[in-house]
Amino acid sequence: MAQRRFQRGRELAIDLGTANTLVFVRGGGIAVFEPSVVAIDEVTGSVHAVGEEARRMIGRTPAHIRAIRPLRHGVIADFDVTAEMLRYFIRRAGGGGGLSYSHVVLCVPSGTTDVERNAVEEATLAAGARRVSLIEEPMAAAIGAGLPVGEADGTMIVDIGGGTTEVAVLALGGIVVWESIRVGGYELDDALVRHVDATARLLIGPETAEGAKIACGAAWPLPETLETQVAGRDRITGLLRRSTVDSNDVRAAIAQPIETIVDTVKRTLEATPPELAADVGRRGITLAGGGALLRGLDRLLSSETGLPVVVADSPLECVVLGAGSSLEESELLGRSAKKRPPFGRRRRRGRR
């Protein structure tokens, strides 16, 4: 019995995200949910910390330690560090060694090039996996959200991650229309950093901005104004100062990247074949990813598109749960790995 459990545990699904990495163990559920951050000792070149421990070091490390996110906009920015991070997470999920024969299903953004796909596959192999299968994030998110992707009727998924937003219409187990933009949660954080700097002359860090976004962020006017305190360096005096940020401030700050996401959804709908568009009009749009938790985003999208919009039950976990389910369905992996349809396109910049 112990041997049987070990065999099942050697099949993994990984959502390698810009913000977080999730690892699903077949037969065991989600085993790892950690920030995609690595702290490197630049003197020795060794890994000092990975995951949540490394995230707490961002902006707080001594000169010889550097805390970095090795992925940017869903693609690898530092190959060696990404491989080390994957190796650490895979070992944690597997309880130690014996993972050189693992089968790993890896999620990738639909807008990645073949070169970028090869890079993440090679990094996973370097981390100890013997065989790697790729599944596109919109497909995995739709499966994880419980959408009937295998049916002839069309369904629409909007997956808003830390570095990318994936919009896709799916039918018959494949992606029919898609668009991927490199705008996500971190662009919202950066926009809030600039807004606080411009309006309050206060320089705050991205981690502080993310905390404020979670505490009182909204894409739609709220019945009651929420407030939170942020601390940073005064641009004039250079001293520490605190300031109050409310939900109206955050909504104004993130208006441009949110508009970019809304426009992407509209363009995808415009490119959708009429029959599938009718299905989407009946079934509505499903939101997944961490960005789906932004207050009022579903109402804003519904107002802009005229369609019903719902948030998936577990938006942060949809992608890895869908990838885990695909371990049972090899046909889905084969379809997701095929050449993407001509309607799809990729935008490298967040601005129009």
Side-chain angles (χ1 to χ4, degrees):
M1 180 64 70
Q3 178 68 17
R4 183 177 302 173
R5 286 198 299 268
F6 177 75
Q7 293 290 343
R8 292 175 66 184
R10 289 164 62 185
E11 290 192 284
L12 309 175
I14 301 178
D15 176 13
L16 184 62
T18 305
N20 299 295
T21 295
L22 289 79
V23 181
F24 178 97
V25 180
R26 183 178 179 183
I30 297 175
V32 174
F33 190 154
E34 296 259 4
S36 301
V37 185
V38 181
I40 302 293
D41 189 324
E42 296 192 325
V43 175
T44 63
S46 61
V47 174
H48 186 78
V50 180
E52 180 60 35
E53 183 181 355
R55 188 194 66 81
R56 291 195 294 267
M57 297 180 181
I58 294 178
R60 300 181 176 91
T61 59
H64 68 285
I65 295 179
R66 182 168 54 106
I68 62 172
R69 297 184 183 274
L71 290 100
R72 188 64 178 168
H73 299 297
V75 298
I76 292 177
D78 190 314
F79 180 89
D80 293 333
V81 175
T82 300
E84 287 292 333
M85 182 179 72
L86 276 170
R87 185 176 293 111
Y88 172 83
F89 288 144
I90 289 175
R91 284 176 177 167
R92 275 199 54 193
L99 285 170
S100 59
Y101 298 100
S102 299
H103 172 213
V104 175
V105 175
L106 192 67
C107 304
V108 294
S110 58
T112 52
T113 65
D114 290 338
V115 172
E116 291 165 345
R117 286 172 175 240
N118 290 337
V120 294
E121 186 173 350
E122 289 173 9
T124 309
L125 292 171
R130 182 176 183 182
R131 183 162 64 95
V132 179
S133 302
L134 302 181
I135 183 171
E136 293 184 332
E137 288 179 4
M139 175 64 74
I143 297 171
L147 299 181
V149 297
E151 295 182 3
D153 290 349
T155 57
M156 188 173 198
I157 187 81
V158 179
D159 178 22
I160 307 171
T164 61
T165 294
E166 309 278 330
V167 185
V169 175
L170 307 98
L172 294 174
I175 298 176
V176 181
V177 185
W178 63 274
E179 184 162 348
S180 175
I181 58 171
R182 295 189 170 185
V183 176
Y186 287 136
E187 279 62 41
L188 304 185
D189 299 339
D190 292 343
L192 184 55
V193 169
R194 294 191 298 269
H195 179 81
V196 173
D197 188 9
T199 58
R201 291 291 183 264
L202 185 69
L203 181 62
I204 63 174
E207 297 293 313
T208 299
E210 183 183 26
K213 179 186 69 178
I214 294 172
C216 65
W220 188 264
L222 300 177
E224 296 182 5
T225 301
L226 302 178
E227 294 183 347
T228 189
Q229 290 278 318
V230 294
R233 190 175 72 243
D234 191 296
R235 281 288 196 182
I236 307 301
T237 66
L239 301 176
L240 174 67
R241 178 164 63 86
R242 292 184 177 274
S243 180
T244 299
V245 174
D246 63 32
S247 51
N248 294 321
D249 293 325
V250 178
R251 193 171 77 254
I254 65 177
Q256 183 175 346
I258 289 296
E259 182 183 358
T260 302
I261 293 172
V262 171
D263 288 345
T264 303
V265 174
K266 290 180 177 179
R267 284 194 303 270
T268 307
L269 287 169
E270 291 169 1
T272 302
E275 294 296 335
L276 292 180
D279 297 335
V280 173
R282 184 177 66 257
R283 292 190 170 189
I285 301 171
T286 301
L287 299 182
L293 298 174
L294 181 66
R295 299 173 184 86
L297 182 58
D298 53 344
R299 293 190 62 185
L300 176 63
L301 274 172
S302 182
S303 174
E304 292 288 335
T305 63
L307 301 176
V309 179
V310 298
V311 178
D313 290 338
S314 302
L316 287 168
E317 301 172 354
C318 277
V319 172
V320 77
L321 290 175
S325 297
S326 71
L327 286 168
E328 306 282 352
E329 301 288 343
S330 59
E331 184 179 355
L332 281 176
L333 293 176
R335 289 181 181 178
S336 183
K338 290 181 180 179
K339 185 177 180 181
R340 293 176 294 280
F343 292 104
R345 53 180 164 176
R346 167 192 181 181
R347 291 181 175 260
R348 291 183 177 272
R349 301 180 184 274
R351 297 179 181 177
R352 294 176 293 162

